[in-house]
């Protein structure tokens, strides 16, 4: 069970002085059984792990490592599907270097990093495109961190950053083979739309209307 994150805290994400501020949600795990013969043996211990989501600069070591892992997995999946091989190392390095993350730094956007029990787990970015439109990007979790609710937490946090920055509509795209991403966005209320650009690797386009920061529907 994931307890609701305090989204009011995200109202402060646009303030550089609070860049390092962390927001948390407690995740209750299955209780462990006590061992031994003493008092309480055989009983259950309450084990709680905390998800935290915080803004971070794209050039930080943690953000760079997540970006590399994201690029590697997404690129390798495409090449394994279409050509039966992994990405050429030189090409992978070019892909990683091609995105500096400058569009994920205020006032253009924001990058969020999720940690699970203090360990870096995943990322989500939001690009502010103008015209009250924003685009989620770099939504990613390390393989070992999946299935624990982190993806939903990251997307919802990114949505709140977009909303408090004035966006009332989100758009995004993904590939057909990234079925997990498509399922996640559909579950979170995104609907498929007509293409909004001609990027050759995009195969599915999604959009979602956001309520305004003042509570009104956009």
């Amino acid at each position: 069970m994931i307890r609701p994150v305090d989204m009011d805290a995200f109202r402060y994400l646009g303030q550089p002085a609070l860049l390092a501020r962390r927001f948390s949600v407690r995740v209750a795990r299955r209780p462990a059984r006590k061992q031994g013969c003493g008092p309480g043996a055989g009983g259950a211990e309450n084990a709680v792990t905390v998800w935290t989501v915080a803004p971070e600069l794209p050039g930080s070591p943690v953000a760079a490592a997540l970006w590399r892992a994201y690029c590697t997995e997404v690129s390798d999946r495409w090449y394994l599907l279409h050509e039966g091989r992994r990405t050429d190392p030189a090409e992978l390095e070019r892909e990683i270097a091609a995105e500096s993350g400058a569009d994920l730094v205020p006032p253009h956007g924001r990058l969020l990093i999720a940690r699970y029990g203090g360990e870096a787990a995943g990322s989500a970015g939001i690009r502010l495109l103008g015209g009250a439109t924003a685009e989620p990007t770099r939504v990613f979790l390390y393989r070992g961190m999946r299935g624990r609710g982190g993806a939903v937490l990251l997307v919802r946090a990114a949505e709140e950053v977009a909303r408090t920055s004035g966006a009332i509509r989100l758009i995004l795209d993904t590939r057909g083979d990234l079925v997990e991403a498509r399922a996640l966005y559909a579950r979170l209320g995104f609907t498929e739309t007509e293409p909004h650009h001609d990027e050759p690797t995009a195969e599915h386009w999604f959009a979602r209307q956001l309520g305004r920061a003042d509570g009104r529907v956009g």
Side-chain angles (χ1 to χ4, degrees):
M1 178 182 68
I2 301 178
R3 300 177 186 174
V5 67
D6 178 10
M7 286 302 183
D8 285 339
F10 286 98
R11 310 248 184 262
Y12 299 99
L13 287 178
Q15 300 182 35
L18 298 176
L19 183 65
R21 180 164 180 164
R22 298 167 65 190
F23 312 102
S24 66
V25 55
R26 299 169 70 84
V27 181
R29 299 183 298 180
R30 181 176 298 175
R33 304 290 294 181
K34 287 186 178 179
Q35 303 297 319
C37 301
E45 292 181 323
N46 290 325
V48 177
T49 300
V50 176
W51 275 106
T52 62
V53 178
E56 191 148 343
L57 293 173
S60 78
V62 167
L66 281 159
W67 175 233
R68 175 173 290 276
Y70 172 95
C71 285
T72 301
E73 180 172 334
V74 171
S75 185
D76 279 354
R77 284 178 63 163
W78 191 92
Y79 276 111
L80 286 168
L81 177 65
H82 294 281
E83 299 186 12
R85 65 175 178 86
R86 297 189 182 276
T87 313
D88 176 78
E91 179 182 351
L92 179 61
E93 293 303 320
R94 289 193 298 271
E95 291 179 359
I96 292 170
E99 295 283 347
S100 68
D103 54 349
L104 299 178
V105 176
H108 310 293
R110 178 70 83 186
L111 180 67
L112 303 174
I113 299 297
R115 289 175 171 83
Y116 185 73
E119 181 181 353
S123 66
I126 198 78
R127 295 190 186 109
L128 303 176
L129 304 179
T133 300
E135 179 184 21
T137 184
R138 297 197 189 190
V139 179
F140 175 77
L141 285 168
Y142 286 130
R143 284 187 177 274
M145 295 293 182
R146 296 172 190 175
R148 307 180 190 187
V152 172
L153 181 63
L154 274 165
V155 174
R156 291 305 192 207
E159 287 181 358
E160 190 65 15
V161 172
R163 182 183 292 108
T164 56
S165 298
I168 61 174
R169 182 171 182 260
L170 298 179
I171 60 173
L172 59 86
D173 63 80
T174 190
R175 297 197 319 242
D177 62 298
L178 301 178
V179 293
E180 308 95 320
R182 290 164 52 200
L184 172 67
Y185 296 133
R187 181 157 58 97
L188 293 180
F190 288 79
T191 56
E192 290 213 42
T193 66
E194 294 297 315
H196 51 260
H197 60 63
D198 57 359
E199 172 63 40
T201 59
E203 297 172 307
H204 295 266
W205 293 261
F206 291 85
R208 171 171 150 75
Q209 291 295 122
L210 294 175
R212 297 181 185 271
D214 59 10
R216 292 183 297 160
V217 177

